[in-house]
Amino acid sequence: MALRLLKVPTLATAVFASSGFYLYNRRLDFNDLSLIRFGRAAATTAVISYDYLTAFKYVEYGTEEYWAVKSKVHRRSAERLRDLCCANRGTFIKVGQHLGALDYLLPEEYTSTLKVLHSQAPQSSMEEIEQVIREDLGKELSELFAFFDETPQGAASLAQVHKAVLYDGRTVAVKVQHPKVQQQSSKDILVMEMLVRGVHWLFPDFAFMWLVEEAKKNMPLELNFLNEGHNSEIVSNKLAHLTFLKVPLIHWDLSTKRVLTMEFADGGQVNDREYMKAHGINVNEISENLGKMYSEMIFIHGFVHCDPHPGNVLVRKCQKSKKTEIILLDHGLYQVLQPDFRVNYCRLWQALIQQDMPGVERYSRKLGAGDLYPLFACVLTARSWTAVNSGISSVPVTLSEDVEIRTNAALYLPQINDLLNRVPRQMLLLLKTNDLLRGIETTLQTRASSSSFINMSRCCIRALARHKRSKIESRRRRLQITLTECFNLCRLSMYELFLWLKGSLLGLRVSNLLAFLH
């Protein structure tokens, strides 16, 4: 018996030593262990929950002190959440970036704090990059590329991009997935789901299951780079008539699920006003073309690029034609809109632009908003209910209104969460896309310009006419719909011409002359 007992520590020592040797050889990063990642996430969630539970104990609701304390708790919690994302990396950073983009849906303390995650994505070592390329393409780096820049052009939550040159002289961008993201993502989403359910049990007003459901659905798509390549070709074909749009070509022979090789395209970020000024790029033209491009995607085709943060939208002057181009990158995340949803969304925006309040209520309800339709209209447009009633196309955005919207995002967070859990899942990525586009327009100082509403209206007219024609077999009726469409588009063009003349030098002179005569 004693001999057996002596064998136990000997066996344990052998197992421990061999395990240590194995882990040493594998160069295991303890951050990769699911237990460590879960423990860190659970601890952060517990600390944040405790902070919210205890911070308001001795503060009267609705007082100035209450709102000051709440802002501080939001800020502390956002910083803890940011640190968790940076520590766990991968899927956590991706979800954190998604939250940081929801400017008009979440309190400002969260969005401003989480926005930095776009610039704090992890970088894989050159050894890891070579290993992924070797495993997926079956060759060494030197066999595939004449030159490969070891310094990445950019690093994101799921991958990083390197500039390279093929042996035939063509310059390419090689997007390589971080090696551990694939195996960690499903476990990370499961962890998030468990924690979100736990927090919802503790705080019934906290209903962020919509976020987990979106991550669960979209993450596998984003991790498949072949899907991204196909998306880029689809959108390039659908928007081929937009001569200002540039989508890099894919090199399919050098692409797999984890490696995507594409034509190299450089330019300045779409929110970089200094770059545009230095290169003679018209800010208003860029804003108008961006709105035109997204209106076509949403209303006409129902195939929407859902990650237009500034790093994915570049601008440049084409050296050959001297025309301004928009380069659209990162096609991993697209939303395909169902025909009925797209038509109701079209009609809702028409009602919002035309100040048709019964229409706003009708189509908001059709899109699942129910009695929360006023809140839905405000969330969708990022305008106050007063501005929505007055007509969003005729009332300019003011700083005070913007502050009001952001303040209300904090005040009505439970109602906003209720709304987001009600509306169709297709709406969630559209709201994120809207917020990212508004952020670009705000930086460019072109927010709510008349041209954006005109382009939107033009696409809505075309989309609804196409939908009506698809439902009717009578040639006579189809001709009537086409003529009505042409008439409405001509009327819109005349209005656009009127606005251009009014804002031109000639228009100003005529206005001054009329004022003088009066």
Side-chain angles (χ1 to χ4, degrees), residues 45 49 53 192-209:
T45 304
S49 300
L53 279 171
M192 289 179 201
E193 185 173 6
M194 289 169 58
L195 295 176
V196 167
R197 288 188 187 279
V199 174
H200 179 54
W201 176 79
L202 197 60
F203 302 97
D205 286 342
F206 182 92
F208 272 79
M209 281 312 299

Side-chain angles (χ1 to χ4, degrees), residues 61-62 66-67 70 74 105-109 205 375 403-416:
Y61 177 81
Y66 174 87
W67 298 119
K70 193 166 189 176
H74 282 336
L105 298 179
L106 295 179
E108 186 274 336
E109 293 87 351
D205 286 342
L375 178 63
V403 171
E404 180 189 344
I405 290 290
R406 291 175 184 276
T407 304
N408 285 342
L411 290 176
Y412 295 105
L413 189 57
Q415 291 88 339
I416 289 173

Side-chain angles (χ1 to χ4, degrees), residues 380-401:
L380 192 60
T381 59
R383 303 296 301 271
S384 66
W385 183 238
T386 304
V388 170
N389 275 277
S390 303
I392 57 171
S393 59
S394 55
V395 179
V397 180
T398 61
L399 180 61
S400 60
E401 185 190 0

Side-chain angles (χ1 to χ4, degrees), residues 142 184 267 393 432 443 509:
S142 57
Q184 290 172 347
S393 59
K432 174 197 173 185
T443 305
R509 285 177 177 172

Side-chain angles (χ1 to χ4, degrees), residues 166-394:
L166 300 176
Y167 279 102
D168 62 9
R170 288 177 294 174
T171 305
V172 294
V174 186
K175 183 175 180 178
V176 185
Q177 194 172 112
H178 298 309
K180 298 160 189 172
V181 169
Q182 192 84 243
Q183 64 191 48
Q184 290 172 347
S185 63
S186 56
K187 296 172 188 172
D188 286 346
I189 291 169
L190 182 62
V191 166
M192 289 179 201
E193 185 173 6
M194 289 169 58
L195 295 176
V196 167
R197 288 188 187 279
V199 174
H200 179 54
W201 176 79
L202 197 60
F203 302 97
D205 286 342
F206 182 92
F208 272 79
M209 281 312 299
W210 57 270
L211 181 65
V212 176
E213 287 168 11
E214 283 301 292
K216 194 186 293 186
K217 182 184 77 175
N218 294 320
M219 195 56 65
L221 297 174
E222 291 194 75
L223 288 171
N224 183 352
F225 289 175
L226 293 177
N227 174 65
E228 179 178 342
H230 290 306
N231 285 342
S232 72
E233 289 193 341
I234 291 169
V235 80
S236 181
N237 291 331
K238 286 183 182 293
L239 303 181
H241 60 286
L242 299 180
T243 55
F244 60 81
L245 175 62
K246 171 72 178 173
V247 178
L249 296 171
I250 304 298
H251 292 266
W252 289 109
D253 57 323
L254 294 173
S255 297
T256 66
K257 285 187 175 182
R258 295 193 299 167
V259 179
L260 186 66
T261 306
M262 69 202 93
E263 174 187 5
F264 184 81
D266 59 348
Q269 290 195 1
V270 72
N271 63 345
D272 189 344
R273 287 177 63 89
E274 292 303 315
Y275 175 89
M276 294 190 208
K277 187 178 178 181
H279 290 80
I281 296 173
N282 188 316
V283 171
N284 292 318
E285 182 188 350
I286 290 296
S287 183
E288 184 178 345
N289 286 342
L290 193 63
K292 193 180 293 183
M293 180 173 81
Y294 267 88
S295 291
E296 289 256 350
M297 284 188 204
I298 294 168
F299 301 117
I300 305 292
H301 303 290
F303 188 71
V304 190
H305 180 283
C306 288
D307 202 11
H309 73 76
N312 289 339
V313 186
L314 307 181
V315 295
R316 71 179 182 189
K317 267 276 180 75
C318 180
Q319 292 182 347
K320 292 180 180 178
S321 65
K322 300 301 178 185
K323 290 183 178 178
T324 303
E325 290 182 335
I326 292 177
I327 304 163
L328 194 61
L329 306 174
D330 197 346
H331 300 268
L333 188 57
Y334 269 75
Q335 182 65 274
V336 179
L337 306 181
Q338 296 304 314
D340 288 344
F341 174 91
R342 181 170 54 84
V343 167
N344 285 326
Y345 191 65
C346 255
R347 286 175 171 149
L348 174 57
W349 269 106
Q350 275 197 323
L352 286 164
I353 292 167
Q354 294 168 3
Q355 203 182 335
D356 171 14
M357 298 316 294
V360 169
E361 180 179 354
R362 185 186 314 121
Y363 295 114
S364 293
R365 288 183 181 277
K366 283 192 174 186
L367 288 168
D371 293 334
L372 292 175
Y373 73 88
L375 178 63
F376 182 53
C378 294
V379 164
L380 192 60
T381 59
R383 303 296 301 271
S384 66
W385 183 238
T386 304
V388 170
N389 275 277
S390 303
I392 57 171
S393 59
S394 55

